[in-house]
């Protein structure tokens, strides 16, 4: 097991480049299962969730050829199974994307219920609703989701999502790409990684229109061809680095960040008193702060609202802001576990169901803390960077799920952080 040791109190200065988007990669890699040819995917983040997906595809019979640190060739023409390993699929939340891809191509799939971080219930009812509308029979038993299309092929259908769901939107989109006829997803999620998945599918020969709006139309095609595609920059990594720059009273230019993806966070940082400017060109953001932060209120919402994945890092920044801040977490019901760790560091907060009330304190003090999930881990790293003294952060394997060499990037900005192996 690994841990981070962070010596806090050092402002971050310099330039850093954002890696490829985790939330796009974990959908695009399964989508390669649908391609009848070789596809080259670039700007892939080096994270453990991606490595797991490569292992799953390899076990299913795909040829996975690593070209360099951030590029891979996938040839899925010889897939021999529609039942991924239970042990592998259970270790990753995004394993449910294998359902849409395998069901779309082969008309059947058996996939273990998703694992990953534990921060609340992850219902798959909207996924099942979409697959059923397209003619699949779906059952959940023995820890598996079983799906089989009638007559071996899905049919286009109109699907209205009862709640805005990123996972369901992407899964139905994949399944519909090779279905007979046209599928329309209404009340679809609009996140940047949904647009990225649609662009990937279209680059392989699919016909997807409207991604990024609440109505997506997919005209099924007979096959997807090979090709090349580059994944977009990671919106959440960019946001984490923006928050870290403000939290340490630093001055950081974040390259590879798309300002249009960051507008909800940028608005809150400006409201707090930090300075946020677009850098030179269209893909960089500069964040500066003198540390004199005001309290703000935050409500997490589907894109383009404030991202739930940035709620935990942002709550740490609010822990030393003047006054009382209120966070309303509307997406997941168990995403405040990290605040107990922040209380060990001197933070003051109260939690009432989905509401967190945070009273700003002059400073945090380093101590031993434990990450409970991916974004909680990132939040504790920011807390360690802010704190006086030394912070030991355990369970950093969660951080490895979604951030590529986070400690290296922070060290390049002047942070004093190291990874150690512990018994």
């Amino acid at each position: 097991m690994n841990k981070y040791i962070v010596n806090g109190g050092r402002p971050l200065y310099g330039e850093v480049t954002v890696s490829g988007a985790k939330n796009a990669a974990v959908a695009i890699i399964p989508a390669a299962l649908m391609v009848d040819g070789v596809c080259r995917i670039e700007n892939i983040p080096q994270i453990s969730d991606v490595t797991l997906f490569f292992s799953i595809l390899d076990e299913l019979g795909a040829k996975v050829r690593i070209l360099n640190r951030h590029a891979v060739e996938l040839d899925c023409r010889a897939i021999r199974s529609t039942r991924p390993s239970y042990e592998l699929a259970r270790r990753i939340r995004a394993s449910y994307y294998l359902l849409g891809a395998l069901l779309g191509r082969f008309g059947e799939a058996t996939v273990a219920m998703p694992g990953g971080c534990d921060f609340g219930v992850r219902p798959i009812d909207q996924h099942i609703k979409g697959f059923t509308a397209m003619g699949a029979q779906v059952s959940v038993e023995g820890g598996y989701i079983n799906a089989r299309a009638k007559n071996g092929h899905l049919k286009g259908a109109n699907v209205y999502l009862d709640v805005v769901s990123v996972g369901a939107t992407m899964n139905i989109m994949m399944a519909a790409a090779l279905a007979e006829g046209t599928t329309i997803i209404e009340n679809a999620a609009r996140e940047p990684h949904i647009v990225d998945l649609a662009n990937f599918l279209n680059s392989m020969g699919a016909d997807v229109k409207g991604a990024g709006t609440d109505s997506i139309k997919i005209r099924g095609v007979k096959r997807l061809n090979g090709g090349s595609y580059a994944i977009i920059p990671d919106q959440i990594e960019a946001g984490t680095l923006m928050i870290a720059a403000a939290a340490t009273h630093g001055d950081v230019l974040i390259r590879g960040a798309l300002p249009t993806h960051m507008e909800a966070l940028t608005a809150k940082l400006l409201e707090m008193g930090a300075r946020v400017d677009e850098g030179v060109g269209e893909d960089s953001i500069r964040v500066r702060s003198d540390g004199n932060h005001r309290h703000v209120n935050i409500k997490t919402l589907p894109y383009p609202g404030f991202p739930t994945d940035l709620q935990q890092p942002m709550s740490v920044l609010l822990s030393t802001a003047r006054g009382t801040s209120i966070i309303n977490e509307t997406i997941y019901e168990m995403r405040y576990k990290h605040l107990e760790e922040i209380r060990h560091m001197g933070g003051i907060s109260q939690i009432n169901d989905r509401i967190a009330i945070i009273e700003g304190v002059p400073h945090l003090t380093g101590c031993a803390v434990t990450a409970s999930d991916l974004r909680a881990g990132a939040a504790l790293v920011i807390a360690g960077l802010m704190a006086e003294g030394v912070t030991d952060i355990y369970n950093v394997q969660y951080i490895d799920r979604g951030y590529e060499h986070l400690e290296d990037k922070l060290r390049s900005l002047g942070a004093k952080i190291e990874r150690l192996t512990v018994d």
Side-chain angles (χ1 to χ4, degrees):
M1 183 174 69
N2 294 326
K3 73 172 183 177
Y4 282 150
I5 299 178
V6 184
N7 284 267
R10 296 167 179 262
L12 299 183
Y13 290 106
E15 298 183 9
V16 65
T17 300
V18 174
S19 300
K22 176 245 185 190
N23 288 331
V26 296
I28 287 172
I29 293 170
L33 287 165
M34 306 174 68
V35 177
D36 186 14
V38 178
C39 58
R40 176 186 175 115
I41 306 174
E42 299 177 346
N43 202 32
I44 289 180
Q46 281 193 322
I47 55 176
S48 59
D49 275 15
V50 164
T51 302
L52 269 173
F53 261 125
F54 289 158
S55 297
I56 292 171
L57 264 60
D58 178 75
E59 185 186 63
L60 292 175
K63 294 179 181 177
V64 180
R65 182 175 171 232
I66 306 298
L67 302 177
N68 57 50
R69 289 180 58 197
H70 297 116
V72 65
E73 277 186 358
L74 300 176
D75 184 349
C76 298
R77 287 175 289 188
I79 293 295
R80 56 179 176 264
S81 174
T82 58
R83 188 186 181 103
S85 158
Y86 179 89
E87 291 73 19
L88 291 175
R90 280 290 298 165
R91 291 167 58 189
I92 183 170
R93 178 188 174 205
S95 60
Y96 52 46
Y97 291 133
L98 295 164
L99 278 168
L102 292 169
L103 184 60
R105 177 177 172 186
F106 297 103
E108 63 178 30
T110 300
V111 179
M113 288 289 289
C117 295
D118 179 17
F119 45 71
V121 176
R122 298 185 194 91
I124 60 166
D125 57 316
Q126 298 304 298
H127 305 240
I128 293 173
K129 178 179 182 178
F131 298 151
T132 302
M134 288 188 282
Q137 296 176 326
V138 185
S139 63
V140 180
E141 52 188 345
Y144 285 94
I145 310 164
N146 306 292
R148 182 181 295 272
K150 298 174 185 176
N151 302 319
H153 209 78
L154 296 174
K155 308 285 187 181
N158 290 347
V159 181
Y160 182 88
L161 298 180
D162 300 316
V163 295
V164 178
S165 167
V166 172
T169 300
M170 297 173 92
N171 230 345
I172 296 166
M173 190 191 310
M174 281 191 275
L178 292 175
E180 295 176 359
T182 299
T183 299
I184 299 176
I185 308 172
E186 299 287 0
N187 199 30
R190 301 163 55 189
E191 272 71 4
H193 38 285
I194 290 174
V195 178
D196 210 33
L197 174 61
N199 289 341
F200 168 79
L201 292 170
N202 286 340
S203 73
M204 301 294 147
D207 187 353
V208 181
K209 292 182 172 63
T213 75
D214 60 5
S215 180
I216 302 175
K217 179 182 290 187
I218 309 104
R219 291 187 175 91
V221 298
K222 293 188 178 298
R223 65 189 293 267
L224 299 181
N225 306 302
S228 297
Y229 190 77
I231 292 171
I232 59 170
D234 194 300
Q235 171 198 17
I236 305 304
E237 182 189 338
T240 301
L241 293 169
M242 291 170 67
I243 294 168
T248 61
H249 314 167
D251 184 349
V252 177
L253 180 66
I254 303 162
R255 296 196 179 277
L258 300 177
T260 55
H261 292 174
M262 310 310 306
E263 289 175 350
L265 173 61
T266 294
K268 287 301 175 182
L269 290 176
L270 291 172
E271 187 179 344
M272 291 185 72
R275 293 186 61 184
V276 184
D277 304 294
E278 291 188 22
V280 178
E282 298 179 354
D283 63 347
S284 63
I285 299 173
R286 184 182 180 187
V287 178
R288 292 171 281 175
S289 177
D290 61 7
N292 188 21
H293 297 139
R294 298 181 291 273
H295 65 91
V296 298
N297 296 334
I298 291 172
K299 182 178 183 178
T300 63
L301 291 167
Y303 187 84
F306 194 93
T308 180
D309 282 352
L310 290 177
Q311 176 263 109
Q312 290 154 296
M314 192 66 172
S315 68
V316 174
L317 175 58
L318 294 175
S319 69
T320 59
R322 298 193 317 274
T324 302
S325 300
I326 299 174
I327 299 176
N328 183 358
E329 173 55 69
T330 71
I331 310 298
Y332 293 110
E333 73 275 17
M334 292 172 57
R335 220 158 189 189
Y336 291 131
K337 293 180 182 179
H338 65 292
L339 288 179
E340 181 177 347
E341 304 298 303
I342 300 302
R343 285 195 285 269
H344 296 326
M345 301 177 72
I348 299 175
S349 62
Q350 299 178 37
I351 300 169
N352 182 10
D353 193 22
R354 290 175 179 257
I355 304 295
I357 302 171
I358 299 173
E359 300 285 348
V361 297
H363 65 269
L364 300 178
T365 302
C367 67
V369 293
T370 302
S372 57
D373 61 70
L374 166 57
R375 307 304 174 184
L380 293 179
V381 170
I382 293 173
L385 295 172
M386 297 167 60
E388 296 180 356
V390 178
T391 303
D392 289 10
I393 304 171
Y394 292 87
N395 279 359
V396 299
Q397 71 273 10
Y398 284 119
I399 299 171
D400 295 336
R401 286 192 52 237
Y403 293 91
E404 178 182 327
H405 305 308
L406 180 61
E407 68 272 26
D408 294 339
K409 292 184 178 183
L410 292 172
R411 273 197 298 266
S412 74
L413 296 172
K416 192 171 183 182
I417 176 173
E418 60 179 324
R419 177 189 291 252
L420 291 182
T421 300
V422 295
D423 295 329

